[in-house]
Each structure stands twice: as structure tokens, then as C-alpha cells.
Amino acid sequence: MNCIDLFAGFGGFSTGARMAGANVLWAANHWPDAVHWHSVNHPDTAHACQDLHQADWSQVPAHDLLLASPCCQGHSKARGKANGNPEHDASRSTAWAVVSAAEYHRPEFALVENVPEFVDWTLFPAWEAAMNALGYSLAPHVVDAADLGVPQNRVRLFIVASRSKAPLRLNLPKLDHVPASSFIDWEGGRWSAIDKPGRAAATLERVANGRAQYGDRFVMSYYGNTKSGRDAGRPIGTITTRDRWAVVDGDRMRMLSADENLAAMSFPAWIQRPNNHRLTVHMAGNAVAPLAAKHLIEAIKQAA
């Protein structure tokens, strides 16, 4: 199966496609850093660094499966217009590039990833109608990546578009959950004392509550409204584009390392990354979980 990857970012969709035995022929993103690292990890893929609103689809190779992860910030409750995202409308409009690409190439399948709120978009009925007009039936799947073996609870919408009369419902596996402890290096990283000068009272409260519930070792969200920790024996919570999760071990704590963020996303060990913690975390949190993508694409291949 041959694929292209729109809004490819760091390459979660592309990596999952390779894990599923598919060929990623072409990938595009508007962010030069993301395109660079995608090309490092996928050297046999042709790359374009551009705004996909302006894409010339005649320059894109024919393919069986279109993968796309349009910008989700305009749809997310945390980053939408009501929360002061100035790029709200522009980010939502990226979804129309999927329609444009599908109109030109008419691949047998498209797999579109976004947050579940994507279907609440005022223009979603028009977007769906446009895909229907091109001959695609749409089957939305709301998937928690943890159910597909990713050591993270990450709920995302995957819309399967197929050139068929009836929507294609995928037969996805339901796998055992993988704990956060599977990727945490308890001996590595840069630790600091929990009881140090300047530590926020809210942080100390979370640590105390976490200890009471989970003992000396657990993870916790370092910001937000949470009041406690999270059992390291279950998947970690959603990885975001900035440092979020802290690891607590006895009287010391630290943030997840860049490599742990990638492992929490299920990126394989062979993936190369920038020597920059913040950039790696941003790219990881913006990606599709590769292992989830693998299982979805394998299910599409089985149904083809």
C-alpha cells in the first residue's frame, strides 16, 4: 500500500505506516524543522515544505491511502477561539486541503486524525458533504491510543474515508494497557529535591496527595487543575507540546526527558531527534501516536 502524509510533522503517521508495511511516498508540512527531521527519519520519502492550501497536487505521486492530521488547535476545547487562540479560523481551514488532495487523486482510502471536537466544527457538515461528493463514505472512530498498546491515554478521532457505498468500520484490536513505568528511566534524568526553596505550594500538595495514593513512585501533571498524582502502573496521560508530566521517586522529582516523551508516544528506538529538549517535546506532543496509526492502517489493509 502506497501512502502520502499531509501535515506530517515529526512523522507519527508516517512511522506508523512503515510499521504497518506501507510505503510513504510523499510527506509535507509547513514547518521547516519538522520537515527536516521527518526527512532524516524517512529518507526514502519525497518531502515538501509548504502551506498545503497552495499545494500543486499534480506534483504529488499517486497513492492508495491519504494520511492527514490537520491542525487541531482550532477545534480543541483547550486551544479554540473562546480560549484566545488567534489562529482559530486559519487552523480549522487546513482540513480543506484533505478535500483538495482527494479530489485530484481519488485514493481508495483516506485516514484523517484530529481531536473528537472536529465533528462539532460548524463547517464539518460541509466538509463531510464535500468528501461524500467525491465518492467517499466516512466512518468516524474515536480511539484511545492506550487500547492499541500505546503507553498513554490519548483520545483522538480517526475518520476512515473509503470509496465505498457503506462506511468502513475497522476491526481494531483491544490490547492490554502498557504502563508508564515501561518507559520511565528511574535511574536517569536530571532530578531535584522535592522540598527545595521556591517549590510551588500546589506542586507540594500534588506530591503529598500522590504519595498518599500511590506510594513513593508515581507520575503527576506539573500544571493544570489536578490535585494528585497518577499511578505509574497505568498509561500516562496525554502528552502535550510542552513539558507536562513529572516523575516522583521518593524525595526527588524531575520532568519527563525528551526520549521518554517520544517513548510515551510509541515512537520506536530508531527514531532520530533534535538535540533540543523543548523542540523534541513540541514535536512529540503534536504527533500521531505511531503504534495507534500502525493498527489503524493494518485494519484498513485487511479491509482493502
Side-chain angles (χ1 to χ4, degrees):
M1 177 174 278
N2 292 325
C3 310
I4 66 168
D5 190 354
L6 312 186
F7 315 101
F10 190 60
F13 241 156
S14 294
T15 301
R18 283 180 57 181
M19 293 163 68
N23 303 310
V24 183
L25 304 179
W26 183 89
N29 204 85
H30 72 286
W31 186 14
D33 285 334
V35 173
H36 169 73
W37 286 102
H38 193 286
S39 64
V40 168
N41 288 307
H42 303 276
D44 296 329
T45 298
H47 290 84
C49 185
Q50 66 177 155
D51 177 355
L52 289 175
H53 288 102
Q54 309 300 323
D56 180 356
W57 301 112
S58 69
Q59 302 301 307
V60 177
H63 48 278
D64 309 299
L65 171 63
L66 184 157
L67 303 171
S69 184
C71 188
C72 67
Q73 281 83 354
H75 303 285
S76 171
K77 292 178 181 177
R79 294 288 303 279
K81 194 171 188 176
N83 287 282
N85 177 9
E87 298 179 352
H88 167 86
D89 297 312
S91 67
R92 287 185 171 197
S93 72
T94 58
W96 292 105
V98 178
V99 177
S100 180
E103 180 183 17
Y104 187 91
H105 282 286
R106 306 294 175 99
E108 196 65 26
F109 303 98
L111 182 60
V112 180
E113 182 263 4
N114 213 288
V115 292
E117 293 84 3
F118 179 64
V119 298
D120 299 325
W121 179 27
T122 303
L123 293 181
F124 178 79
W127 185 89
E128 181 179 33
M131 293 295 288
N132 292 159
L134 297 176
Y136 291 95
S137 296
L138 304 187
H141 297 67
V142 177
V143 176
D144 184 347
D147 293 334
L148 296 177
V150 179
Q152 174 190 172
N153 288 121
R154 187 182 189 87
V155 178
R156 291 294 183 268
L157 170 72
F158 290 88
I159 297 177
V160 179
S162 57
R163 293 181 60 80
S164 56
K165 291 183 178 180
L168 179 64
R169 293 296 308 178
L170 299 182
N171 184 21
L172 296 172
K174 184 71 178 288
L175 304 179
D176 291 339
H177 284 187
V178 178
S181 59
S182 67
F183 62 79
I184 293 173
D185 181 358
W186 297 100
E187 304 304 321
R190 301 175 62 180
W191 298 86
S192 63
I194 292 172
D195 295 317
K196 72 172 187 178
R199 186 77 77 186
T203 300
L204 295 174
E205 180 184 3
R206 289 190 190 104
V207 171
N209 291 339
R211 281 174 175 157
Q213 288 182 274
Y214 308 116
D216 283 341
R217 281 186 169 181
F218 57 94
V219 297
M220 70 177 199
S221 177
Y222 199 72
Y223 62 85
N225 297 321
T226 59
K227 298 296 183 182
S228 182
R230 186 179 178 100
D231 188 353
R234 59 182 289 204
I236 202 164
T238 303
I239 297 296
T240 63
T241 55
R242 61 177 175 140
D243 283 321
R244 179 184 184 188
W245 294 101
V247 182
V248 175
D249 181 23
D251 60 358
R252 60 181 188 165
M253 67 184 300
R254 64 171 175 82
M255 303 304 294
L256 285 186
S257 70
D259 288 331
E260 287 168 334
N261 273 272
L262 288 174
M265 287 295 297
S266 73
F267 276 97
W270 56 264
I271 286 291
Q272 298 183 63
R273 67 169 181 87
N275 186 25
N276 180 304
H277 176 89
R278 182 176 294 181
L279 180 58
T280 301
V281 170
H282 186 104
M283 289 180 170
N286 203 40
V288 176
L291 191 55
K294 170 185 179 290
H295 288 297
L296 284 149
I297 294 167
E298 285 178 341
I300 289 175
K301 290 174 67 176
Q302 291 169 4

